[in-house]
Amino acid sequence: MSEDGWRDYYRNTRARPPRPLTLKALPHVPSRNQALDLGAGALNDSRYLLAEGFAHVTALDQTPVAAEATATLPQARFRYHISLMEEYAFPLSTFDFVTAQFSLPFILPGQFDHVFSSIMASLTPGGVLSANCFGDRDAWSGSPKMTFHSLTQITQILSPFNIIYFHEEESENTTASGEMKHWHIFDFIIKN
């Protein structure tokens, strides 16, 4: 997506509540020390996690569209990184909770396994990942800069972990920019 496209996304989503999958995962998080918001977008989940008492929240996004909004967050408890997930140095055993809402599909093909392993290694023992991936029947499937999975592939990726929640969905719905799209999504919550 272009820089203008990401700005439109930010403008269209900044007043939204936290993602439902983030809300669903939070009761399973063992501690509220450190959280990571991957593909943080308009910082909706980051704000929520801070309000829910996490001692520190790190937000990562590939574009600086929400940089101005970071000034309204408690600087001692919040850090904002502008980076691709493929280039981020995930710290080992640090985060009690990682939320990656509609961001993992934007990992470049061929790098997904490495990045996913790094995400899981960044969780503390018992830490929780709440995320989604796009399925192979998604309308954007075949985009050369995105990663898509079949049900068999995503099941294999998640099999080493304690699966708290898994849901496959296909629907016709709009994107944040208002365009109609066929969605094929795997939502999941897993524990390290």
Side-chain angles (χ1 to χ4, degrees):
M1 190 179 303
S2 69
E3 188 80 21
D4 287 340
W6 287 120
R7 278 193 197 93
D8 290 344
Y9 175 82
Y10 171 76
R11 187 175 53 253
N12 293 337
T13 61
R14 66 181 170 206
R16 287 187 179 174
R19 295 283 187 174
L21 199 57
T22 298
L23 300 176
K24 188 180 216 45
L26 213 51
H28 302 282
V29 177
S31 176
R32 296 198 177 180
N33 290 323
Q34 300 257 0
L36 175 62
D37 186 359
L38 288 174
L43 304 176
N44 304 14
D45 283 4
S46 291
R47 277 191 217 88
Y48 176 74
L49 295 173
L50 288 164
E52 284 296 307
F54 277 85
H56 192 272
V57 175
T58 300
L60 179 79
D61 205 279
Q62 67 180 356
T63 60
V65 294
E68 289 180 20
T70 63
T72 64
L73 300 174
Q75 298 304 301
R77 297 175 50 219
F78 179 76
R79 186 174 305 125
Y80 185 60
H81 292 282
I82 300 164
S83 173
L84 294 171
M85 281 185 266
E86 297 91 330
E87 297 171 357
Y88 182 66
F90 288 90
L92 293 175
S93 300
T94 301
F95 302 108
D96 302 299
F97 182 50
V98 175
T99 181
Q101 305 304 309
F102 294 90
S103 58
L104 297 184
F106 294 92
I107 297 171
L108 293 171
Q111 296 191 37
F112 183 89
D113 291 345
H114 171 72
V115 173
F116 191 81
S117 293
S118 297
I119 292 168
M120 295 309 294
S122 77
L123 286 168
T124 58
V128 172
L129 169 65
S130 167
N132 31 51
C133 289
F134 289 169
D136 54 3
R137 294 186 301 275
D138 193 272
W140 293 339
S141 182
S143 172
K145 294 185 178 181
M146 296 177 69
T147 299
F148 301 87
H149 295 92
S150 67
L151 177 60
T152 301
Q153 289 169 324
I154 199 69
T155 302
Q156 193 171 18
I157 289 166
L158 301 181
S159 65
F161 308 102
N162 178 8
I163 299 172
I164 297 168
Y165 174 80
F166 181 85
H167 179 72
E168 179 182 12
E169 181 179 337
E170 285 195 63
S171 65
E172 302 295 324
N173 212 331
T174 58
T175 65
S177 62
E179 297 171 30
M180 191 56 76
K181 174 185 179 288
H182 180 79
W183 296 90
H184 182 204
I185 301 170
F186 300 110
D187 287 334
F188 55 90
I189 301 168
I190 58 176
K191 187 171 275 202
N192 200 8

